[in-house]
Amino acid sequence: MSREKKTDKTGTEMTGAQMVLQALADQGVEHVFGYPGGAVLPIYDELFSRKDVEHILVRHEQGAVHAAEGYARSTGKVGCVLVTSGPGATNAVTGLTDALMDSIPLVCITGQVATHLIGNDAFQECDTVGITRPCTKHNYLVKDIDSLSRVLHEAFYVARTGRPGPVVVDIPKDVQFAKGTYRGVTNSQHKSYNPKTVGEDDRIEKAVELIAKAKRPIFYTGGGVINAGPEASASLRELVRLTGYPITSTLMGLGAYPAADPQWLGMLGMHGTYEANNAMHDCDVMICIGARFDDRITGRLDAFSPGSTKIHVDIDPSSINKNVRVDLPIIGDCGKVLDQMLATWKKRKPSIDKPALKRWWSQIDQWRERQCLAYKTKSDVIAPQYAIQRLYELTKDKDTYITTEVGQHQMWAAQYYRFEDPNRWMTSGGLGTMGYGIPAAVGVQVAHPDSLVIDIAGEASVLMTMQEMSTAVQYNLPIKIFILNNEYMGMVRQWQELLHGGRYSHSYSEALPDFVKLAEAYQGVGLRCEKPGDLDDAIREMIAVDRPVLFDCRVDPHANCFPMIPSGEAHNNMLLGDEAEEKGVGDAISEQGKILV
């Protein structure tokens, strides 16, 4: 919808509901994802007459938050959610936790029962602030109309600054009806919250010195670089190319550095590449930028990169030394710190040890020769890795955004779909939320109506939030849901095979729907492909359809996702696919002395 001309409404008397919508407009919000209910109806009544904020009606409040996450991650803006009290707020908890874990900026406005009913177990009452305190960056219960506009603007400030995250504003129904004076965006900064964004000069100097003297360096980057904006990714690329050093990233950091660049080693971690994990283990200087040393990355902590000097850049002070002890912490915004490093590097023009770097690249090339992402194909069944590769080849030259669900398909997407730019990859990293991908794709498509948006999915995950197909149909959002259908909860089955003696306890996806008919029931388009030779034409047909599509891609049900760091092992002690085939999965793991979690 077209935006109304924005006018300054500061000092105007308004109802609380009007203040909510005015604050959203003043914060530049164009879309809000939500679901109405009794405790939030005054705000919905105000929405009825507004044209500057468009409401997207989801089919479940969890979907609203995931859609706002997709919107935020693909645009860099704050995502906005509007839900009612009680079950509306509790249904949003999974999405809020997901956003907190992955540092996604959201403002979630929840309705609440009238102030005089709070604590009386009123209809659709719950302690929203208490419930969401552990899964939000900050939250508010607004009992006074005179503080409402200030709190709303402050919520956006808190959500977007420092380490981004979700903020809840809980508004009782009587406050929505009450009248007060609206205050604008100015002075919305939280009194006690002023995150540090610029690194200390002496630490920047020391970091550049350590980087220049490295013999076996590696850049290790995470989602913090993406969150810092496209300028941070540009600065990262310039610094990495100036040094000539190798670079890897976490699942959340894909796209900050182009996958096609020869300095890129691929993703690291539990299902990362052989060369990335070995380089991390053997490096002598690690430059960690915007990552938090998550357990999926480190493997066994006491064996993680034991001989390296570690530099850690992060805007969140609580992430420093939380999991891994580092030698040089730098607290600040990734983009600003990278700019400081670049400026210092260019000013000092340090000499690097080129012979040592050449030997280091020679070692990395030896690891690359293992071709850890190679896989075997069959003529009569689609390998899931092949499906992702063909999807990539047929969409890489388009304006494409990728979301995923969680499981094997998510890891295969990270391994085989190659990202050249930031903000193109939306996945649930920290929480690992099955059902994330469809509503996230809805949010991305709302933000980018002319782009190709694909959810790479598993048949188990999509059933968790399939109802959001109705949202896609209602708003003419032509999302493509590309299902790698192996008739199992694939990652659960893989762990049961590798760690639990092949006892597949409740991981087989029985009673699956006919996805083609299901798509048609939702007034979308259903496609199915079962043979490798038919795959390209089927993908082209999916892309050409200007409606929501469910693509049922039947893949090898026995395929496992490799490389893999077995539970409890060091991050350089990886199980490769060829080893598992030659020795048998159980024997291959036993030889590595796996430790069960």
Side-chain angles (χ1 to χ4, degrees), residues 237 254-261 392 396 418-422 424:
R237 296 173 186 214
L254 296 177
Y257 196 85
D261 192 283
Y392 168 70
K396 66 181 181 180
R418 300 171 66 79
F419 295 93
E420 303 300 314
D421 297 299
R424 298 284 173 157

Side-chain angles (χ1 to χ4, degrees), residues 62 99 199 231 256 301 303 317 324 367 379 384 394 445 462 534 553 569:
Q62 178 184 348
E231 298 83 4
L301 276 173
V324 171
W367 289 323
S379 61
L394 294 169
Q445 194 77 81
V462 296
D534 301 330
C553 185
E569 278 301 304

Side-chain angles (χ1 to χ4, degrees), residues 203-513:
R203 291 178 182 263
I204 298 296
E205 292 278 350
K206 180 63 175 177
V208 168
E209 180 183 349
L210 288 171
I211 294 169
K213 291 181 177 180
K215 310 291 184 184
R216 302 183 308 280
I218 190 168
F219 283 92
Y220 154 39
T221 61
V225 179
I226 306 286
N227 289 339
E231 298 83 4
S233 294
S235 297
L236 173 69
R237 296 173 186 214
E238 185 177 357
L239 180 60
V240 171
R241 286 165 179 160
L242 272 176
T243 62
Y245 293 171
I247 178 172
T248 181
S249 96
T250 67
L251 178 76
M252 299 301 298
L254 296 177
Y257 196 85
D261 192 283
Q263 289 172 245
W264 169 248
L265 303 188
M267 182 180 72
L268 81 161
M270 177 170 279
H271 293 287
T273 65
Y274 186 72
E275 52 268 30
N277 282 323
N278 276 287
M280 283 283 283
H281 185 271
D282 287 1
C283 70
D284 70 336
V285 174
M286 177 195 303
I287 310 105
C288 175
I289 304 174
R292 56 190 177 89
F293 296 98
D294 177 73
D295 64 289
R296 301 291 95 169
I297 297 300
T298 62
R300 201 175 78 231
L301 276 173
D302 62 0
F304 176 70
S305 194
S308 65
T309 297
K310 299 173 181 68
I311 302 167
H312 187 190
V313 178
D314 204 295
I315 199 166
D316 180 8
S318 71
S319 291
I320 303 293
N321 293 326
K322 181 172 69 175
N323 297 325
V324 171
R325 196 80 187 169
V326 300
D327 301 281
L328 180 61
I330 301 175
I331 298 171
D333 175 84
C334 290
K336 289 183 170 58
V337 172
L338 281 165
D339 286 343
Q340 289 177 277
M341 287 182 172
L342 264 174
T344 303
W345 187 278
K346 291 177 180 178
K347 179 181 178 181
R348 292 179 54 176
K349 297 179 181 178
S351 298
I352 62 175
D353 190 336
K354 292 184 179 179
L357 183 60
K358 184 177 180 180
R359 290 192 297 270
W360 181 226
W361 273 113
S362 178
Q363 174 61 73
I364 291 171
D365 288 340
Q366 289 181 40
W367 289 323
R368 279 174 163 169
E369 288 174 3
R370 290 297 303 270
Q371 296 185 341
C372 67
L373 295 181
Y375 60 92
K376 290 185 177 180
T377 59
K378 302 175 183 177
S379 61
D380 59 339
V381 64
I382 300 172
Q385 302 95 325
Y386 176 76
I388 300 296
Q389 284 187 317
R390 294 315 304 155
L391 182 69
Y392 168 70
E393 290 297 333
L394 294 169
T395 60
K396 66 181 181 180
D397 295 327
K398 302 181 183 298
D399 183 23
T400 306
Y401 293 82
I402 299 293
T403 71
T404 78
E405 310 294 336
V406 168
Q408 284 179 321
H409 64 273
Q410 176 191 30
M411 295 298 104
W412 282 318
Q415 290 172 337
Y416 295 97
Y417 202 102
R418 300 171 66 79
F419 295 93
E420 303 300 314
D421 297 299
N423 304 106
R424 298 284 173 157
W425 165 248
M426 275 58 64
T427 195
S428 175
L431 193 62
T433 307
M434 293 175 68
Y436 171 88
I438 295 179
V442 165
V444 175
Q445 194 77 81
V446 168
H448 307 278
D450 299 323
S451 301
L452 175 62
V453 181
I454 303 172
D455 172 31
I456 298 176
E459 83 290 337
S461 285
V462 296
L463 294 178
M464 291 198 169
T465 52
M466 178 54 68
Q467 71 277 354
E468 301 309 331
M469 271 288 285
S470 287
T471 305
V473 170
Q474 177 179 345
Y475 293 95
N476 301 312
L477 305 171
I479 62 173
K480 320 299 183 187
I481 304 169
F482 189 76
I483 304 171
L484 298 185
N485 187 349
N486 59 12
E487 298 184 333
Y488 279 98
M489 301 175 199
M491 195 61 84
V492 174
R493 182 203 59 75
Q494 177 168 334
W495 279 57
Q496 288 174 336
E497 178 183 342
L498 303 186
L499 303 177
H500 298 281
R503 294 180 292 279
Y504 304 122
S505 179
H506 300 283
S507 57
Y508 181 63
S509 298
E510 297 185 63
L512 284 172

